[in-house]
Amino acid sequence: QVQLVESGGGFVQAGGSLRLSCAASGRTFNIYASGWFRQAPGKEREFVAGLFWGPAITRYSDSVTGRFTIAGNNAKKTTYLQMNNLAPEETAVYYCAEKAGTATEFSKWGQGTQVTVSS
């Protein structure tokens, strides 16, 4: 199975930037897409960004378009999320996830990394 570990979270002031990393191990050969999600206090988990590995297509939520960039390094089995111009409302636990080629949803999840944006 696939194991995912997020890193790179931390404390940043509004307008600042962070880069998150998601390292995958295990059986990663059949991963079809990687994604980033976040869950703020009292809120439901929401989609942030996704990367389809075959044609390298990226998708973003409307709220982060133009500020966030998702990228992947297949050799390092790592997915990155560059987050620029962060706002306090984006304080959340950020999770990476993977979707297998035969799956209809993201089914592998990391433990999450905390991102705190101060005003």
Side-chain angles (χ1 to χ4, degrees), residues 8-12 18 20 113-117:
F11 183 87
V12 64
L18 286 174
L20 307 182
T113 185
Q114 176 70 45
V115 172
T116 302
V117 185

Side-chain angles (χ1 to χ4, degrees), residues 3-4 22-29 31 53 72-80 98:
Q3 294 83 43
L4 304 174
C22 176
S25 61
R27 296 175 61 85
T28 62
F29 63 90
I31 292 177
W53 288 92
N73 186 315
N74 191 41
K76 295 182 178 180
K77 299 182 179 180
T78 302
T79 303
Y80 306 95
E98 307 287 353

Side-chain angles (χ1 to χ4, degrees), residues 18-68:
L18 286 174
R19 189 174 82 151
L20 307 182
S21 298
C22 176
S25 61
R27 296 175 61 85
T28 62
F29 63 90
N30 65 338
I31 292 177
Y32 180 73
S34 300
W36 286 94
F37 297 76
R38 64 189 178 192
Q39 186 166 22
K43 304 290 185 179
E44 295 187 1
R45 185 179 63 196
E46 65 174 338
F47 170 78
V48 176
L51 170 67
F52 295 88
W53 288 92
I57 296 172
T58 58
R59 294 287 185 269
Y60 300 93
S61 69
D62 290 343
S63 65
V64 308
T65 296
R67 298 185 298 113
F68 289 14

